[in-house]
Amino acid sequence: MLLPSLRFKQPLLLSIALPLTLLMPAAVPLTQAQEPPIEIAPTSIQLNEEANRLLDQGMDQFDADQYQEALQSFQAALERFRQNGDRYYEAAALNILGVVYGSMGQPQQAIEHHQQALSIGQAISALDLEAAALNNLGTVYAFINQPQQAIEYYQQALPLYRETDDRYREMMSLVLIAEALITQNQTDLAIDYFGQSVEVFAAIRAEQIAQDVYIPSDFKLLKEPYHRYAERLRQQNRPQEAQQVLDLIREVE
């Protein structure tokens, strides 16, 4: 599933459209109700089940480009999580709403929702929620042509992804940083971040190959940015490194 709001006409993120699930914390199960303690009242259980049903419904609507309908479903899910006092899932729903608002071309609403998610994540010490909110804020600021602020948010998200060992999102965030740095004419630093992303990519693929795991279709999102990375390496008279990058991603093309 591609996120339409990231198919921006601005050069910054033209190359990479992230799936909606990549802009949410990895631990949020969207299709499975959270197991409640036995002592929770049935009404709370019902609210939680209904909230997850609404999340599923919203994801289907988002997939179908029915953004207004998806917004209503996610907002209803948010209210049920709040009724349950479930702050973790409240923040997750806020992050999702922020992504939807971004897809609808409402960056200020997106920022407000991601900021709320970030505050909750910090309050309950949920690093995955913090990382998701920070990365999402970076993406919104990139969209509104404020790359320096975008870079600052991406750089705050990176150590959190590393601390939670979320290598996939770390890899994607490094690419977003690199693309943002290029718009700031910080080519050498951009190449460094691209290189770090490729290293993570190689490590993930080596593990997948060792475990005979299929290649996720989302890896295809790296095709264009890594090709541009290889081109910049060639421009710096580093053809062997450029070829290594191309060889690495050939299997996902």
Side-chain angles (χ1 to χ4, degrees):
M1 172 173 50
L2 298 184
L3 177 59
S5 68
L6 297 188
R7 301 192 193 114
F8 299 139
K9 298 189 183 299
Q10 288 86 341
L12 179 60
L13 296 179
L14 187 61
S15 64
I16 183 165
L18 298 182
L20 178 61
T21 50
L22 285 183
L23 299 177
M24 300 184 293
V28 178
L30 295 178
T31 58
Q32 179 178 350
Q34 185 183 23
E35 290 294 332
I38 295 174
E39 64 271 15
I40 290 183
T43 53
S44 295
I45 296 173
Q46 292 167 0
L47 281 171
N48 203 53
E49 291 176 345
E50 177 67 5
N52 279 276
R53 185 194 67 77
L54 287 162
L55 287 180
D56 283 339
Q57 176 177 291
M59 293 293 284
D60 290 340
Q61 292 165 332
F62 188 92
D63 251 348
D65 295 339
Q66 298 172 354
Y67 302 128
Q68 192 60 50
E69 292 83 353
L71 193 70
Q72 293 172 359
S73 295
F74 292 139
Q75 186 66 49
L78 172 64
E79 292 306 317
R80 283 156 179 78
F81 287 132
R82 282 176 169 163
Q83 285 178 268
N84 261 355
D86 191 332
R87 302 214 74 201
Y88 183 96
Y89 282 80
E90 176 187 353
L94 284 165
N95 260 329
I96 299 171
L97 281 164
V99 173
V100 178
Y101 276 116
S103 300
M104 297 173 68
Q106 299 182 42
Q108 191 54 48
Q109 284 276 25
I111 289 171
E112 290 175 6
H113 282 76
H114 293 317
Q115 287 284 11
Q116 290 179 54
L118 177 60
S119 295
I120 294 174
Q122 291 170 336
I124 65 175
S125 300
L127 298 185
D128 54 345
L129 288 173
E130 289 185 57
L134 288 165
N135 202 68
N136 293 347
L137 283 165
T139 301
V140 176
Y141 277 104
F143 174 52
I144 59 177
N145 288 322
Q146 297 186 35
Q148 189 54 50
Q149 283 185 276
I151 291 167
E152 290 171 4
Y153 280 115
Y154 291 143
Q155 288 177 329
Q156 291 179 65
L158 261 180
L160 299 181
Y161 284 138
R162 288 168 176 158
E163 190 168 346
T164 56
D165 199 29
D166 192 340
R167 305 215 74 196
Y168 192 85
R169 287 171 178 78
E170 174 192 353
M171 173 182 67
M172 292 296 191
S173 191
L174 283 164
V175 169
L176 292 173
I177 289 178
E179 297 273 86
L181 286 165
I182 287 173
T183 69
Q184 297 290 87
N185 296 318
Q186 300 182 52
T187 303
D188 290 341
L189 189 55
I191 286 177
D192 178 60
Y193 278 109
F194 268 131
Q196 292 182 51
S197 179
V198 168
E199 288 177 7
V200 177
F201 176 89
I204 293 174
R205 284 301 299 132
E207 183 176 344
Q208 290 175 332
I209 291 169
Q211 298 177 359
D212 194 24
V213 178
Y214 79 98
I215 302 172
S217 60
D218 294 342
F219 272 46
K220 295 183 184 298
L221 301 174
L222 295 168
K223 176 181 175 180
E224 290 185 19
Y226 279 6
H227 269 287
R228 277 199 292 279
Y229 170 45
E231 179 58 32
R232 290 184 180 277
L233 288 172
R234 282 194 291 264
Q235 292 172 359
Q236 293 192 350
N237 197 28
R238 298 159 66 179
Q240 291 183 334
E241 294 174 68
Q243 190 58 50
Q244 288 173 354
V245 175
L246 295 177
D247 290 343
L248 184 63
I249 65 170
R250 183 165 291 121
E251 61 181 302
V252 301
E253 294 184 327

